[in-house]
Amino acid sequence: KSDLSLPKHSNVFVVGDQAHCKNKEGHPLPGIAPVAMQQGLFVAEQILGDVEQKPRGEFVYHDKGQMATIGRSHAIVQMGNIKFAGFWAWLVWLVVHVYYLTGFKNRILVVLQWAWSYMTFRRGARLIVQKQWRFYEK
């Protein structure tokens, strides 16, 4: 049972990658954004409950599924027993990721940046590694 606070310091909460929580089967929860987002909302409710002197609850993670892009215009989606892949999964991935951005302006900017990268075949991130490393001393 976990309310996401430290045992000897009930006013200190741990969420996200630093929190070790287990699911119903006893397996550790993955260090992914949906877990951290649910933990953050849960802790906010606990703090508000503390102010109102309500008893604390137990954190329970609700798995909404998994998604991953696997190439240009291809993704995989798993939500409960529903599994699909390909272009439609990629569109679902795009919509879900834009939906969770805060603010209309951020959503529009990201959609425009993604559209530009998609149309121009540019990658969003690149890694340049030289054969020889250079170390500079000050």
Side-chain angles (χ1 to χ4, degrees), residues 17 22 34 36 46 59 62 68-70 73-74 77 81-83 86 89 95 98 100 105 107-108 115:
D17 293 351
K22 295 181 180 178
Q46 298 306 298
F59 175 73
H62 302 286
T69 58
I70 56 173
S73 302
H74 295 292
V77 173
N81 292 331
I82 301 169
K83 297 178 183 180
V95 168
V98 170
Y100 280 104
K105 187 176 178 181
R107 290 179 180 144
I108 293 297

Side-chain angles (χ1 to χ4, degrees), residues 48-123:
L48 291 174
D50 285 353
V51 171
E52 297 172 1
Q53 297 181 341
K54 292 182 180 177
R56 288 192 176 172
E58 178 182 354
F59 175 73
V60 178
Y61 174 64
H62 302 286
D63 187 0
K64 297 178 182 178
Q66 301 178 53
M67 292 188 267
T69 58
I70 56 173
R72 184 174 172 82
S73 302
H74 295 292
I76 54 173
V77 173
Q78 175 264 320
M79 296 180 292
N81 292 331
I82 301 169
K83 297 178 183 180
F84 58 103
F87 179 75
W88 294 108
W90 181 73
L91 283 178
V92 169
W93 183 91
L94 286 173
V95 168
V96 167
H97 281 78
V98 170
Y99 173 78
Y100 280 104
L101 293 174
T102 57
F104 180 75
K105 187 176 178 181
N106 287 336
R107 290 179 180 144
I108 293 297
L109 285 172
V110 167
V111 167
L112 290 173
Q113 288 172 346
W114 283 357
W116 180 255
S117 294
Y118 184 81
M119 290 184 296
T120 60
F121 291 87
R122 292 191 180 180
R123 296 180 184 176

Side-chain angles (χ1 to χ4, degrees), residues 3-6 9-15 18-19 39 42-48 50 56:
D3 65 0
L4 299 177
S5 67
L6 296 179
H9 303 280
S10 63
N11 62 331
V12 177
F13 294 91
V14 182
V15 299
Q18 299 301 313
Q39 289 174 335
F42 175 81
V43 166
E45 291 171 3
Q46 298 306 298
I47 292 170
L48 291 174
D50 285 353
R56 288 192 176 172

